[in-house]
């Protein structure tokens, strides 16, 4: 039985706890959160002890792996403390508010040769593999990413010093998919809408991206809406256009392929398989997620400084 500890008890932690508790070979060994009531509620649902902080969870011992599901501003210390215990680690995106914190964590994971994974579950959509197959031998020349949505119902999200902003906190999923299907990005130039209230995230951003392979890319984000309007990635290659969302793949504007809805289960199952030493398909270990995080931070920096940013600068 694989004993998993969870740091954080928010919505994403709840989702992982529900999935993990459905695996017959996994038990949730403890849940820690700085909000004792929230930790207690989630822990009691899964018959696990609750802790007021990750240090207490780790001190209790008996863990085989730890999930770190904390807000962007809280990353850093939990990961380093987990790694100091030589435990495999699953980290929810975004990795941090800054590059230095994430790079230190990545370096420590590599030095300790520990199993790691990051919650970029879009990589586990079965339609992503189908898109990849359809694009075989046809390199993408144009990519259009969107995250047009509402403000999430958490108090810290509007503050870029706590969330990192919409590109880092939300659109990073789309950027990760773009890296997978199109390739690495060499230059970005993001333009915020200019009406943002001081101290709050940009309400809308438009960005141009140049991919290292020569493709052109665009990214549009907005949190002005009352509901999620459009979230996904469109790509154009020779003779084919694909549009991917979290639920479906649209081919040439005509053929619809529905996803099987199991990506959020697969991302946890493959990590647990790796922890157990079984054959595993961990598609986004921490080092791979760091490349996507670096791209998101470059876009955020470009918007803040209102100038193009070369990825070599990051």
């Amino acid at each position: 039985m694989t004993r998993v500890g969870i740091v954080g008890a928010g919505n994403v932690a709840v989702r992982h706890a529900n999935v993990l508790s459905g695996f017959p070979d996994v038990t949730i060994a403890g849940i820690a959160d700085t909000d004792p009531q929230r930790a207690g509620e989630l822990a009691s649902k899964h018959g696990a002890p609750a802790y007021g902080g990750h240090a207490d969870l780790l001190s209790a011992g008996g863990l085989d792996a730890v999930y770190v599901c904390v807000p962007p501003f809280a990353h850093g210390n939990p990961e380093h403390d987990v790694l100091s215990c030589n435990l495999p680690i699953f980290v929810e995106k975004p990795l941090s508010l800054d590059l230095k914190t994430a790079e230190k964590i990545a370096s420590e994971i590599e030095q300790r040769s520990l199993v790691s994974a990051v919650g970029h579950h879009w990589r586990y959509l079965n339609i992503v593999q189908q898109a990849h197959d359809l694009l075989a031998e046809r390199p993408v020349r144009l990519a259009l990413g969107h995250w047009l949505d509402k403000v999430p119902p958490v108090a810290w999200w509007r503050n870029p010093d706590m969330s990192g902003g919409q590109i880092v906190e939300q659109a990073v999923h789309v950027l990760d998919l773009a890296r997978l299907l199109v390739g690495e990005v060499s230059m970005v130039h993001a333009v915020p809408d200019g009406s943002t209230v001081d101290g709050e995230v940009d309400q809308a951003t438009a960005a141009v991206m140049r991919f290292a392979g020569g493709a052109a890319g665009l990214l549009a984000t907005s949190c002005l809406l009352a509901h999620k309007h459009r979230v996904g990635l469109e790509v154009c290659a020779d003779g084919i256009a694909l549009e991917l969302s979290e639920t479906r793949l649209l081919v040439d504007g005509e053929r619809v392929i529905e996803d099987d809805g199991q990506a959020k289960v697969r991302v946890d199952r493959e990590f647990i398989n790796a922890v157990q030493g079984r054959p595993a398909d961990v598609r986004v270990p921490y080092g791979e997620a760091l490349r996507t995080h670096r791209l998101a931070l470059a876009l955020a920096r470009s918007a803040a400084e209102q100038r193009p940013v070369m990825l070599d600068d990051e």
Side-chain angles (χ1 to χ4, degrees), residues 13-241:
V14 169
R15 187 189 86 209
H16 284 295
N18 289 339
V19 171
L20 291 167
S21 64
F23 296 156
D25 53 351
V26 173
T27 184
I28 296 175
I31 294 173
D33 195 283
T34 53
D35 182 336
Q37 180 178 350
R38 191 163 60 176
E41 289 173 354
L42 184 56
S44 63
K45 179 180 178 182
H46 296 284
Y51 300 91
H54 71 272
D56 293 335
L57 169 66
L58 295 173
S59 295
L63 299 175
D64 298 307
V66 176
Y67 276 62
V68 178
C69 305
V70 299
F73 62 86
H75 284 287
N77 287 337
E79 287 92 338
H80 287 300
D81 289 345
V82 170
L83 296 174
S84 71
C85 297
N86 280 314
L87 290 170
I89 190 168
F90 185 110
V91 180
E92 259 305 333
K93 42 60 62 183
L95 302 183
S96 62
L97 291 176
D98 64 294
L99 191 57
K100 186 176 180 181
T101 296
E103 286 181 336
K104 285 184 176 180
I105 294 167
S107 177
E108 191 166 351
I109 289 171
E110 183 177 2
Q111 288 174 12
R112 293 175 179 270
S113 300
L114 290 169
V115 170
S116 69
V118 173
H120 283 298
H121 65 272
W122 283 39
R123 293 259 191 139
Y124 293 82
L125 299 170
N126 70 330
I127 54 174
V128 168
Q129 182 58 52
Q130 294 181 66
H132 190 273
D133 293 343
L134 288 167
L135 292 170
E137 308 303 324
R138 291 194 279 197
V140 173
R141 306 313 302 163
L142 178 66
L144 311 170
H146 304 88
W147 199 293
L148 310 178
D149 203 347
K150 61 184 182 298
V151 173
V154 285
W156 49 262
W157 196 87
R158 289 180 181 270
N159 183 349
D161 292 333
M162 300 181 79
S163 69
Q166 188 175 19
I167 291 174
V168 172
E169 210 282 319
Q170 288 183 324
V172 67
H173 278 304
V174 174
L175 296 174
D176 189 63
L177 196 55
R179 285 189 54 248
L180 177 67
L181 296 178
V182 189
E184 301 298 342
V185 175
S186 59
M187 185 279 295
V188 298
H189 190 182
V191 180
D193 73 315
S195 65
T196 300
V197 177
D198 286 345
E200 291 198 351
V201 300
D202 295 322
Q203 296 181 92
T205 303
V208 175
M209 299 181 290
R210 182 171 66 228
F211 289 85
L218 300 174
L219 177 70
T221 66
S222 178
C223 56
L224 287 166
L225 308 179
H227 58 83
K228 184 181 286 187
H229 171 62
R230 180 182 296 179
V231 172
L233 178 72
E234 299 174 58
V235 296
C236 296
D238 187 15
I240 192 169

